Amino acid sequence: MAKTVLVSGGAGYIGSHVTVELIGKGYEVVVADNMSNCDLTCFEGVKKITGRDDIPFHQIDCCDSEAVNRLFDEYKIDAVIHFAAFKAVGESVAEPLMYYRNNLVSFINILEAAKNKGGCNVLFSSSATVYGEAEVLPVTENTPRLPSTSPYGNTKQMCEDILRDVVFATAGNDGADGQGVVKGIALRYFNPIGAHPSALIGELPRGVPNNLVPFITQTAIGKRECLSIFGNDYPTEDGTCLRDYIDVVDLAKAHVAAVSRMVEGRMKEGYEIFNVGTGRPVSVYELVTAFENVNGLKLNYKFVDRRPGDVMAIWADTTLANEELGWKAERTVEETLASAWAWEKHLAEQK
Ligand code: UDP
């Protein structure tokens, strides 16, 4: 029988791509989203891509424990992928309580239900932000985490630790009173970019984008006047920061590989961590140039001061994910940037 995966935050950017890939591999998906940071555009896109009009969708807030418990009562959930969280670094500095309440309470509710409803596999969407300004690059999963510079980053570290502790504490549960075993995987994403090749789903930033690629595509389409490149005086080859840009469809496939590992009982430990990146550093300037070249256009950009809080360079050692998940990033950065542009144009045509 098909396994069922609950995707919290499933109407968002990464969640919608993951839903598509899960369905493509024969999973049943239940989407839960409070729609606080998205509209139905991507969920409608998911239905079109998959040809499935019957994907269960629940508009709930995972901070509502009763609503979460009801989902676990209604469906036999084999795994949860938890995306539902706030994700803007700057906003988290201004509104720490909002971030701690939302990101921690929602995850605690998911874990409580997972434990109390007979046990479950839980995949947490973590981030390379947990590494901070690492001394040795590329980073492996054993690279020490550094104290976070934002409440957002703190919530990622805290949720990783909460998952690890729950896995440890539930390992001996025997199902009495419904108390089951929780197993967990944290995927540490590097910089997710791009869109589905159909251009039916992609990133939908609200207001002025904080992230580089949405800012690039919005500048190219004329929504923004000029891209500011934050800093060209870093000690890198061209003076701009280095990141590991991971295609969102490749990233989604890593989730399917991790869920399969969990539900098929192939985990080597109750709690595992994997870096999800390409393993290749790309500078901001290189990315801008690649975007121009692959899409045959010129972008209006200027160099400005460094952005406070940015690390100079981070990229992944992906050996563990490659070997253990049997997964590796496949799309080239050019393909990804072409997909990001196709998505921006698709959005413009909807207007
Ligand atoms: N960046 C930039 N201009 C922008 C947005 C981002 O130059 O408008 C740079 C930023 O300084 C960093 C890289 O692009 O070096 C990636 O930033 P993003 O916010 O996308 O992700 P982060 O790595 O900060 O999570």
Side-chain angles (χ1 to χ4, degrees), residues 191 210-212 227-230 241 243 245 284 307 310:
N191 287 60
N210 290 310
N211 295 116
L212 179 59
L227 167 74
S228 295
I229 296 182
F230 299 133
C241 291
R243 293 287 183 279
Y245 295 95
V284 174
R307 182 170 69 176
D310 272 344

Side-chain angles (χ1 to χ4, degrees), residues 146-183:
L146 292 178
S148 174
T149 52
S150 74
Y152 160 77
N154 259 332
T155 66
K156 290 295 174 196
Q157 297 202 359
M158 289 170 169
C159 285
E160 284 191 354
D161 293 346
I162 293 169
L163 179 57
R164 179 203 60 205
D165 293 347
V166 171
V167 165
F168 179 78
T170 60
N173 283 356
D174 57 5
D177 301 327
Q179 300 283 309
V181 173
V182 174
K183 292 194 173 183

Side-chain angles (χ1 to χ4, degrees), residues 122-124 126 160 163 184-188 271-275:
V122 178
L123 193 163
F124 175 62
S126 191
E160 284 191 354
L163 179 57
I185 289 182
L187 296 184
R188 291 179 176 158
Y271 172 60
E272 297 178 328
I273 301 172
F274 297 101
N275 284 341

